[in-house]
Amino acid sequence: MYIQLNNIRPVYLEPEKITGSEIWNRHVKIEAGNFVEISASSGRGKSSLIHFIYGYKTDYSGSILLDDAKASQMDMRQTALLRSKKLSIVFQDLKLFNEATCMQNILVKNALTAYANEDQVNQMAERLGVKNKLNAIAGNCSYGERQRIAIIRALQQPFEYILLDEPFSHLDDQNREQAMFLIMEEAEKRKAGIILADLESSPSFPATERLKL
Amino acid sequence: MANYKDIAPFINTRGNGLSRFFGYTGLCIGTLLLLSCLQFYIDINQLLKEKNPRQNGFDFISVTREITNQNMGRDNRFTAANLEEIRSAPGVDDAAALISNQFRAKVSAGNVIPFSTDIFLEAINNSFLDTLPPNFSWQPGQTNVPIILSADFLEMYNIFAPTQGLPQISGESAASLHVQLECFGISGMQGFRSQIVALSNRINSVLVPESFLVWANKQFGQSENAPFSRIYIKTRDANAPSLLKYLDEKNYHVNKEQTRFGRIKQVLQGIIAGLSGFAVLVIALAILLFAFYLKLLISRSRDNLQLLVIIGYEPGRLGSQVSRRWVPAYAIIVLIALAGAQFLHSLFRNAIAGGNEKLDPFISIYSFTLAFIIFLICVVINAFLLRKELRKL
């Protein structure tokens, strides 16, 4: 799946934040399977861009094409299909069910996609150091632990692109590296691309394209 | 696609037990009432069918002229023209005359029962008979004449027989009795062997085949087109106001007994229709209560449901999954109502209808069908409301 951004800009973003951007108000085509890093300081619309591509928000001008289909014109069924089969995401605010256990948070995605089994979930949790948290209530876990649970949940489905919105912000270097490695491994398995939005450019991320927002 | 159990932890179904309880109870009572109304309607029809020989959706009523002090002594019989007029009267589907014997007829039971009496014979078009055995026919030259006897006459005979030293006989035995029919005319007497081939609940008479009586009237009575005292009307509704008005205007007398059950049925149907309307209202209110409960449930679980949609769940499918949660509850409610309807039916059958064997011991297939329809309506409305609410997310 390719992603094409045609002169998009958030309707609420100040004009001075548009100027100099390599994405806003530009024609950008992200080819299938690319590893793309988008960096910008706070308030320049990184989360907005991720939400626009995911179809979560539509308050922008211009258009986004996902394999020839206009993101803003998809109906509920098409959007649901896109989110369960082609696009995965790790939200900056994680969007976990805080009153449910970490395992329930992960399995609810698995129940939808039937992609992985509980053993595979356990293996991933072990690799990211949160296996002992799987039966804990998500709301009671630290932000870093919840971030890793959100990453594991995002990997419980087929995808052609995974959107990462500051996914490692509360992880130490070691955990960050392990999480990054797991995501890249899973993306390669699926021959999928990664769009990573972060505050600063990360030299450890083997990006094929680096864009300033 | 996920099952309800996978998303159950994210849906808040706690609380509001009272509104759920009232919803379930209301639905159960409403369904029970509606099923009982339908079953009662079926039972009443079954019981009245036995009393009122209605056939293929028609009532058959006998009409005579009202005998008053003013017309007493005159010839109050109907003419062929009267018959034609009645045929074209409002509410009348067909009419036929009961022709009677224009000669003296006598019947004796032979040696088995020492019984002999003068008798009147009547005949009517076969299509007006409630029971028509295949051997109820007569050809000239045939010495055997089949008779259809009024069931009331047999009952009357059985009342008076013991006081006269005669044996009482059952309907089955009556059919095996051979009697001697004697017809007297100016040319002399002719005897026929006769047998009761059926009992009629509709026509109070001694009926012989029309072909026999036409022949016998000509042969013994020298009369072919004599007027007739009774006319039978075939109508879809013996209680139709237009028909009753016409008969009143003509001073024709209708046997009240024959339309009485129709009137009772009409009153009962009115009561049943009223109760059914009330039952439908109760069911509608119960469903409305559920609708409020579902709205509340969606609003309580709104954040979680929104999250499910964000991670890829389709609102329409989510609605179907959530609504499936209530399928067992609806099934149990309808089964309880069915059991209640069966209990009331048994109570009616044993206590009120005196264990009437004409009533089936179990509730009708129509009651089961109605129960299933109510169940489907609840499930479909539930799913529709949930999908509608979830699409708003």
Tab-separated table of all heavy atoms in Angstrom, chain A residues 17-69:
chain	number	residue	atom	x	y	z
A	17	LYS	N	3.620	27.578	11.129
A	17	LYS	CA	4.067	26.197	11.341
A	17	LYS	C	3.989	25.376	10.051
A	17	LYS	O	4.511	24.264	9.974
A	17	LYS	CB	3.221	25.527	12.431
A	17	LYS	CG	3.518	26.086	13.808
A	17	LYS	CD	2.726	25.403	14.885
A	17	LYS	CE	3.102	25.990	16.244
A	17	LYS	NZ	2.197	25.553	17.307
A	18	ILE	N	3.316	25.940	9.072
A	18	ILE	CA	3.210	25.262	7.766
A	18	ILE	C	4.472	25.539	6.940
A	18	ILE	O	5.018	24.658	6.279
A	18	ILE	CB	1.966	25.776	6.987
A	18	ILE	CG1	0.684	25.634	7.823
A	18	ILE	CG2	1.832	25.082	5.619
A	18	ILE	CD1	0.237	24.231	8.083
A	19	THR	N	4.920	26.782	7.064
A	19	THR	CA	6.085	27.217	6.277
A	19	THR	C	7.313	26.374	6.634
A	19	THR	O	7.590	26.135	7.806
A	19	THR	CB	6.389	28.703	6.581
A	19	THR	OG1	5.150	29.399	6.648
A	19	THR	CG2	7.262	29.317	5.509
A	20	GLY	N	8.002	25.932	5.668
A	20	GLY	CA	9.225	25.162	5.881
A	20	GLY	C	8.998	23.685	6.098
A	20	GLY	O	9.952	22.911	6.169
A	21	SER	N	7.758	23.275	6.209
A	21	SER	CA	7.477	21.855	6.419
A	21	SER	C	7.691	21.075	5.124
A	21	SER	O	7.397	21.576	4.038
A	21	SER	CB	6.033	21.674	6.894
A	21	SER	OG	5.671	20.327	6.820
A	22	GLU	N	8.215	19.845	5.271
A	22	GLU	CA	8.402	18.999	4.080
A	22	GLU	C	7.148	18.157	3.785
A	22	GLU	O	7.154	17.353	2.867
A	22	GLU	CB	9.609	18.072	4.290
A	22	GLU	CG	10.911	18.830	4.289
A	22	GLU	CD	12.104	17.965	4.678
A	22	GLU	OE1	11.904	16.797	5.081
A	22	GLU	OE2	13.228	18.450	4.589
A	23	ILE	N	6.109	18.356	4.636
A	23	ILE	CA	4.884	17.553	4.435
A	23	ILE	C	3.657	18.434	4.219
A	23	ILE	O	2.918	18.282	3.244
A	23	ILE	CB	4.659	16.602	5.624
A	23	ILE	CG1	5.766	15.524	5.631
A	23	ILE	CG2	3.286	15.938	5.542
A	23	ILE	CD1	5.764	14.620	6.821
A	24	TRP	N	3.426	19.375	5.158
A	24	TRP	CA	2.234	20.235	5.049
A	24	TRP	C	2.275	21.025	3.739
A	24	TRP	O	3.304	21.587	3.376
A	24	TRP	CB	2.120	21.215	6.222
A	24	TRP	CG	2.009	20.608	7.603
A	24	TRP	CD1	2.640	21.062	8.714
A	24	TRP	CD2	1.210	19.498	8.010
A	24	TRP	NE1	2.298	20.305	9.814
A	24	TRP	CE2	1.408	19.324	9.395
A	24	TRP	CE3	0.358	18.612	7.358
A	24	TRP	CZ2	0.786	18.335	10.149
A	24	TRP	CZ3	-0.272	17.616	8.103
A	24	TRP	CH2	-0.052	17.486	9.477
A	25	ASN	N	1.145	21.012	3.077
A	25	ASN	CA	0.980	21.750	1.811
A	25	ASN	C	1.937	21.272	0.713
A	25	ASN	O	2.261	22.031	-0.174
A	25	ASN	CB	1.187	23.253	2.038
A	25	ASN	CG	-0.144	23.989	1.965
A	25	ASN	OD1	-1.167	23.377	1.686
A	25	ASN	ND2	-0.122	25.283	2.203
A	26	ARG	N	2.402	20.062	0.835
A	26	ARG	CA	3.311	19.509	-0.182
A	26	ARG	C	2.683	18.247	-0.769
A	26	ARG	O	1.761	17.653	-0.205
A	26	ARG	CB	4.671	19.105	0.463
A	26	ARG	CG	5.447	20.229	1.079
A	26	ARG	CD	6.072	21.095	-0.023
A	26	ARG	NE	6.861	22.169	0.566
A	26	ARG	CZ	8.182	22.102	0.737
A	26	ARG	NH1	8.838	21.016	0.385
A	26	ARG	NH2	8.839	23.123	1.250
A	27	HIS	N	3.222	17.865	-1.890
A	27	HIS	CA	2.808	16.603	-2.489
A	27	HIS	C	3.847	15.551	-2.094
A	27	HIS	O	4.994	15.617	-2.523
A	27	HIS	CB	2.748	16.775	-4.015
A	27	HIS	CG	2.310	15.542	-4.716
A	27	HIS	ND1	0.980	15.223	-4.924
A	27	HIS	CD2	3.018	14.513	-5.251
A	27	HIS	CE1	0.899	14.078	-5.556
A	27	HIS	NE2	2.131	13.625	-5.761
A	28	VAL	N	3.460	14.602	-1.242
A	28	VAL	CA	4.406	13.595	-0.751
A	28	VAL	C	3.838	12.206	-1.024
A	28	VAL	O	2.682	11.924	-0.689
A	28	VAL	CB	4.633	13.746	0.782
A	28	VAL	CG1	5.639	12.704	1.283
A	28	VAL	CG2	5.086	15.146	1.128
A	29	LYS	N	4.619	11.364	-1.654
A	29	LYS	CA	4.171	9.991	-1.885
A	29	LYS	C	5.101	9.035	-1.143
A	29	LYS	O	6.315	9.040	-1.377
A	29	LYS	CB	4.150	9.676	-3.371
A	29	LYS	CG	3.536	8.307	-3.661
A	29	LYS	CD	3.314	8.088	-5.137
A	29	LYS	CE	2.648	6.738	-5.355
A	29	LYS	NZ	2.457	6.460	-6.768
A	30	ILE	N	4.527	8.249	-0.231
A	30	ILE	CA	5.315	7.268	0.519
A	30	ILE	C	5.035	5.903	-0.096
A	30	ILE	O	3.912	5.398	-0.028
A	30	ILE	CB	4.943	7.294	2.016
A	30	ILE	CG1	5.162	8.710	2.582
A	30	ILE	CG2	5.727	6.259	2.793
A	30	ILE	CD1	4.569	8.930	3.965
A	31	GLU	N	6.063	5.347	-0.734
A	31	GLU	CA	5.872	4.073	-1.449
A	31	GLU	C	5.698	2.918	-0.455
A	31	GLU	O	6.098	3.012	0.707
A	31	GLU	CB	7.081	3.796	-2.356
A	31	GLU	CG	7.250	4.773	-3.505
A	31	GLU	CD	6.110	4.729	-4.535
A	31	GLU	OE1	5.316	3.758	-4.530
A	31	GLU	OE2	6.013	5.677	-5.345
A	32	ALA	N	5.162	1.823	-0.945
A	32	ALA	CA	4.900	0.648	-0.100
A	32	ALA	C	6.194	0.118	0.520
A	32	ALA	O	7.236	0.097	-0.129
A	32	ALA	CB	4.252	-0.445	-0.938
A	33	GLY	N	6.124	-0.263	1.773
A	33	GLY	CA	7.232	-0.944	2.443
A	33	GLY	C	8.371	-0.052	2.895
A	33	GLY	O	9.399	-0.552	3.356
A	34	ASN	N	8.233	1.253	2.781
A	34	ASN	CA	9.317	2.163	3.212
A	34	ASN	C	9.340	2.340	4.726
A	34	ASN	O	8.312	2.212	5.391
A	34	ASN	CB	9.133	3.544	2.571
A	34	ASN	CG	9.703	3.575	1.159
A	34	ASN	OD1	10.201	2.571	0.668
A	34	ASN	ND2	9.630	4.733	0.533
A	35	PHE	N	10.525	2.642	5.236
A	35	PHE	CA	10.659	3.020	6.642
A	35	PHE	C	10.834	4.541	6.649
A	35	PHE	O	11.876	5.044	6.232
A	35	PHE	CB	11.899	2.349	7.272
A	35	PHE	CG	11.711	0.879	7.594
A	35	PHE	CD1	10.595	0.180	7.132
A	35	PHE	CD2	12.645	0.193	8.370
A	35	PHE	CE1	10.428	-1.168	7.441
A	35	PHE	CE2	12.484	-1.152	8.678
A	35	PHE	CZ	11.362	-1.839	8.203
A	36	VAL	N	9.835	5.254	7.121
A	36	VAL	CA	9.846	6.718	7.035
A	36	VAL	C	9.898	7.309	8.439
A	36	VAL	O	9.126	6.900	9.321
A	36	VAL	CB	8.576	7.232	6.304
A	36	VAL	CG1	8.588	8.759	6.193
A	36	VAL	CG2	8.473	6.599	4.926
A	37	GLU	N	10.794	8.233	8.631
A	37	GLU	CA	10.872	8.913	9.928
A	37	GLU	C	10.417	10.349	9.748
A	37	GLU	O	10.887	11.046	8.849
A	37	GLU	CB	12.303	8.882	10.451
A	37	GLU	CG	12.403	9.432	11.868
A	37	GLU	CD	13.855	9.633	12.286
A	37	GLU	OE1	14.508	10.547	11.731
A	37	GLU	OE2	14.318	8.884	13.147
A	38	ILE	N	9.470	10.777	10.572
A	38	ILE	CA	8.981	12.153	10.520
A	38	ILE	C	9.317	12.786	11.871
A	38	ILE	O	8.880	12.296	12.919
A	38	ILE	CB	7.468	12.207	10.269
A	38	ILE	CG1	7.167	11.607	8.870
A	38	ILE	CG2	6.924	13.623	10.370
A	38	ILE	CD1	5.729	11.267	8.648
A	39	SER	N	10.126	13.846	11.845
A	39	SER	CA	10.499	14.459	13.123
A	39	SER	C	10.097	15.917	13.147
A	39	SER	O	10.075	16.601	12.113
A	39	SER	CB	12.002	14.300	13.366
A	39	SER	OG	12.714	14.864	12.291
A	40	ALA	N	9.744	16.357	14.339
A	40	ALA	CA	9.372	17.771	14.530
A	40	ALA	C	9.278	18.034	16.010
A	40	ALA	O	9.069	17.116	16.815
A	40	ALA	CB	8.038	18.057	13.870
A	41	SER	N	9.423	19.290	16.344
A	41	SER	CA	9.261	19.639	17.757
A	41	SER	C	7.779	19.618	18.108
A	41	SER	O	6.923	19.520	17.223
A	41	SER	CB	9.857	21.021	18.014
A	41	SER	OG	9.298	21.931	17.091
A	42	SER	N	7.507	19.752	19.393
A	42	SER	CA	6.116	19.693	19.855
A	42	SER	C	5.260	20.767	19.202
A	42	SER	O	5.734	21.870	18.935
A	42	SER	CB	6.066	19.889	21.370
A	42	SER	OG	6.672	18.805	21.985
A	43	GLY	N	3.982	20.384	18.950
A	43	GLY	CA	3.016	21.368	18.464
A	43	GLY	C	3.033	21.595	16.970
A	43	GLY	O	2.344	22.488	16.470
A	44	ARG	N	3.791	20.828	16.229
A	44	ARG	CA	3.836	21.045	14.779
A	44	ARG	C	2.923	20.071	14.022
A	44	ARG	O	2.893	20.071	12.795
A	44	ARG	CB	5.278	20.966	14.264
A	44	ARG	CG	6.170	22.017	14.918
A	44	ARG	CD	7.442	22.228	14.155
A	44	ARG	NE	7.269	23.005	12.941
A	44	ARG	CZ	7.390	24.326	12.846
A	44	ARG	NH1	7.707	25.025	13.929
A	44	ARG	NH2	7.237	24.945	11.708
A	45	GLY	N	2.203	19.232	14.781
A	45	GLY	CA	1.160	18.400	14.152
A	45	GLY	C	1.563	16.980	13.815
A	45	GLY	O	0.962	16.372	12.920
A	46	LYS	N	2.550	16.417	14.570
A	46	LYS	CA	2.947	15.017	14.286
A	46	LYS	C	1.757	14.071	14.520
A	46	LYS	O	1.440	13.247	13.652
A	46	LYS	CB	4.106	14.588	15.221
A	46	LYS	CG	5.435	15.247	14.936
A	46	LYS	CD	6.523	14.647	15.780
A	46	LYS	CE	6.331	14.852	17.275
A	46	LYS	NZ	6.255	16.268	17.708
A	47	SER	N	1.137	14.219	15.697
A	47	SER	CA	-0.001	13.338	16.013
A	47	SER	C	-1.134	13.553	15.020
A	47	SER	O	-1.789	12.598	14.583
A	47	SER	CB	-0.507	13.597	17.440
A	47	SER	OG	0.487	13.185	18.351
A	48	SER	N	-1.339	14.839	14.638
A	48	SER	CA	-2.413	15.130	13.675
A	48	SER	C	-2.187	14.370	12.381
A	48	SER	O	-3.113	13.746	11.835
A	48	SER	CB	-2.478	16.629	13.388
A	48	SER	OG	-2.889	17.305	14.557
A	49	LEU	N	-0.929	14.403	11.889
A	49	LEU	CA	-0.615	13.725	10.629
A	49	LEU	C	-0.916	12.218	10.733
A	49	LEU	O	-1.547	11.626	9.842
A	49	LEU	CB	0.860	13.940	10.277
A	49	LEU	CG	1.344	13.199	9.028
A	49	LEU	CD1	0.645	13.723	7.772
A	49	LEU	CD2	2.851	13.306	8.871
A	50	ILE	N	-0.459	11.627	11.860
A	50	ILE	CA	-0.706	10.180	12.066
A	50	ILE	C	-2.214	9.896	12.095
A	50	ILE	O	-2.698	8.952	11.469
A	50	ILE	CB	-0.036	9.709	13.390
A	50	ILE	CG1	1.496	9.837	13.295
A	50	ILE	CG2	-0.453	8.296	13.769
A	50	ILE	CD1	2.191	8.884	12.337
A	51	HIS	N	-2.948	10.776	12.809
A	51	HIS	CA	-4.417	10.580	12.905
A	51	HIS	C	-5.093	10.748	11.549
A	51	HIS	O	-6.053	10.043	11.237
A	51	HIS	CB	-5.012	11.576	13.905
A	51	HIS	CG	-4.600	11.300	15.321
A	51	HIS	ND1	-4.802	12.195	16.352
A	51	HIS	CD2	-3.971	10.227	15.883
A	51	HIS	CE1	-4.341	11.695	17.478
A	51	HIS	NE2	-3.819	10.505	17.221
A	52	PHE	N	-4.589	11.681	10.743
A	52	PHE	CA	-5.185	11.904	9.408
A	52	PHE	C	-5.009	10.648	8.550
A	52	PHE	O	-5.939	10.200	7.886
A	52	PHE	CB	-4.522	13.092	8.694
A	52	PHE	CG	-4.749	14.439	9.355
A	52	PHE	CD1	-3.900	15.516	9.087
A	52	PHE	CD2	-5.808	14.633	10.230
A	52	PHE	CE1	-4.113	16.745	9.691
A	52	PHE	CE2	-6.015	15.871	10.841
A	52	PHE	CZ	-5.158	16.933	10.575
A	53	ILE	N	-3.792	10.110	8.576
A	53	ILE	CA	-3.523	8.921	7.741
A	53	ILE	C	-4.377	7.740	8.216
A	53	ILE	O	-4.928	6.992	7.426
A	53	ILE	CB	-2.015	8.543	7.772
A	53	ILE	CG1	-1.174	9.670	7.160
A	53	ILE	CG2	-1.755	7.228	7.041
A	53	ILE	CD1	0.338	9.511	7.352
A	54	TYR	N	-4.521	7.626	9.532
A	54	TYR	CA	-5.266	6.497	10.114
A	54	TYR	C	-6.782	6.668	9.939
A	54	TYR	O	-7.558	5.762	10.151
A	54	TYR	CB	-4.901	6.380	11.606
A	54	TYR	CG	-5.370	5.097	12.268
A	54	TYR	CD1	-4.870	3.857	11.865
A	54	TYR	CD2	-6.302	5.123	13.304
A	54	TYR	CE1	-5.300	2.683	12.474
A	54	TYR	CE2	-6.734	3.960	13.929
A	54	TYR	CZ	-6.221	2.735	13.501
A	54	TYR	OH	-6.644	1.577	14.108
A	55	GLY	N	-7.192	7.881	9.551
A	55	GLY	CA	-8.631	8.144	9.364
A	55	GLY	C	-9.338	8.452	10.664
A	55	GLY	O	-10.561	8.411	10.743
A	56	TYR	N	-8.570	8.754	11.698
A	56	TYR	CA	-9.142	9.048	13.006
A	56	TYR	C	-9.633	10.491	13.080
A	56	TYR	O	-10.608	10.796	13.759
A	56	TYR	CB	-8.081	8.754	14.072
A	56	TYR	CG	-8.506	8.988	15.503
A	56	TYR	CD1	-9.697	8.470	15.991
A	56	TYR	CD2	-7.688	9.706	16.372
A	56	TYR	CE1	-10.074	8.671	17.303
A	56	TYR	CE2	-8.051	9.912	17.698
A	56	TYR	CZ	-9.255	9.393	18.156
A	56	TYR	OH	-9.628	9.594	19.443
A	57	LYS	N	-8.938	11.366	12.348
A	57	LYS	CA	-9.351	12.773	12.288
A	57	LYS	C	-9.430	13.193	10.821
A	57	LYS	O	-8.673	12.683	9.978
A	57	LYS	CB	-8.344	13.660	13.031
A	57	LYS	CG	-8.508	13.589	14.555
A	57	LYS	CD	-7.358	14.246	15.275
A	57	LYS	CE	-7.453	15.757	15.258
A	57	LYS	NZ	-6.372	16.376	16.070
A	58	THR	N	-10.330	14.102	10.545
A	58	THR	CA	-10.501	14.502	9.137
A	58	THR	C	-10.492	16.024	8.958
A	58	THR	O	-10.843	16.524	7.888
A	58	THR	CB	-11.837	13.963	8.585
A	58	THR	OG1	-12.872	14.361	9.473
A	58	THR	CG2	-11.838	12.454	8.439
A	59	ASP	N	-10.088	16.733	10.021
A	59	ASP	CA	-10.148	18.203	9.915
A	59	ASP	C	-8.869	18.761	9.261
A	59	ASP	O	-8.055	19.412	9.908
A	59	ASP	CB	-10.408	18.858	11.285
A	59	ASP	CG	-9.590	18.229	12.406
A	59	ASP	OD1	-8.888	17.230	12.129
A	59	ASP	OD2	-9.651	18.733	13.544
A	60	TYR	N	-8.722	18.427	7.995
A	60	TYR	CA	-7.585	18.927	7.218
A	60	TYR	C	-8.054	19.295	5.821
A	60	TYR	O	-9.094	18.825	5.357
A	60	TYR	CB	-6.472	17.868	7.148
A	60	TYR	CG	-6.881	16.541	6.548
A	60	TYR	CD1	-6.793	16.304	5.177
A	60	TYR	CD2	-7.361	15.505	7.351
A	60	TYR	CE1	-7.170	15.086	4.622
A	60	TYR	CE2	-7.739	14.290	6.805
A	60	TYR	CZ	-7.649	14.087	5.449
A	60	TYR	OH	-8.035	12.881	4.914
A	61	SER	N	-7.254	20.119	5.158
A	61	SER	CA	-7.546	20.408	3.756
A	61	SER	C	-6.586	19.558	2.919
A	61	SER	O	-5.602	19.032	3.432
A	61	SER	CB	-7.347	21.896	3.477
A	61	SER	OG	-6.018	22.269	3.785
A	62	GLY	N	-6.851	19.429	1.626
A	62	GLY	CA	-6.060	18.539	0.795
A	62	GLY	C	-6.635	17.138	0.851
A	62	GLY	O	-7.736	16.933	1.371
A	63	SER	N	-5.854	16.187	0.341
A	63	SER	CA	-6.387	14.820	0.356
A	63	SER	C	-5.286	13.802	0.638
A	63	SER	O	-4.109	14.049	0.381
A	63	SER	CB	-7.048	14.510	-0.984
A	63	SER	OG	-6.078	14.513	-2.005
A	64	ILE	N	-5.733	12.673	1.196
A	64	ILE	CA	-4.798	11.568	1.470
A	64	ILE	C	-5.291	10.354	0.687
A	64	ILE	O	-6.469	9.987	0.785
A	64	ILE	CB	-4.762	11.234	2.978
A	64	ILE	CG1	-4.267	12.449	3.774
A	64	ILE	CG2	-3.896	10.009	3.242
A	64	ILE	CD1	-4.335	12.289	5.282
A	65	LEU	N	-4.388	9.792	-0.105
A	65	LEU	CA	-4.766	8.587	-0.858
A	65	LEU	C	-4.063	7.377	-0.257
A	65	LEU	O	-2.872	7.407	0.012
A	65	LEU	CB	-4.343	8.713	-2.324
A	65	LEU	CG	-5.074	9.730	-3.191
A	65	LEU	CD1	-4.514	9.708	-4.614
A	65	LEU	CD2	-6.558	9.451	-3.230
A	66	LEU	N	-4.851	6.348	-0.007
A	66	LEU	CA	-4.288	5.082	0.466
A	66	LEU	C	-4.601	4.068	-0.639
A	66	LEU	O	-5.750	3.638	-0.773
A	66	LEU	CB	-4.931	4.652	1.783
A	66	LEU	CG	-4.857	5.667	2.934
A	66	LEU	CD1	-5.753	5.252	4.082
A	66	LEU	CD2	-3.421	5.823	3.421
A	67	ASP	N	-3.594	3.781	-1.459
A	67	ASP	CA	-3.845	2.899	-2.615
A	67	ASP	C	-5.026	3.383	-3.451
A	67	ASP	O	-6.009	2.652	-3.644
A	67	ASP	CB	-4.139	1.454	-2.137
A	67	ASP	CG	-2.869	0.637	-2.050
A	67	ASP	OD1	-1.832	1.119	-2.524
A	67	ASP	OD2	-2.942	-0.479	-1.511
A	68	ASP	N	-5.000	4.580	-3.872
A	68	ASP	CA	-6.046	5.154	-4.739
A	68	ASP	C	-7.355	5.501	-4.023
A	68	ASP	O	-8.227	6.119	-4.617
A	68	ASP	CB	-6.390	4.237	-5.928
A	68	ASP	CG	-5.200	4.122	-6.880
A	68	ASP	OD1	-4.380	5.050	-6.878
A	68	ASP	OD2	-5.117	3.108	-7.591
A	69	ALA	N	-7.511	5.049	-2.783
A	69	ALA	CA	-8.763	5.348	-2.075
A	69	ALA	C	-8.568	6.590	-1.217
A	69	ALA	O	-7.573	6.700	-0.505
A	69	ALA	CB	-9.154	4.165	-1.206
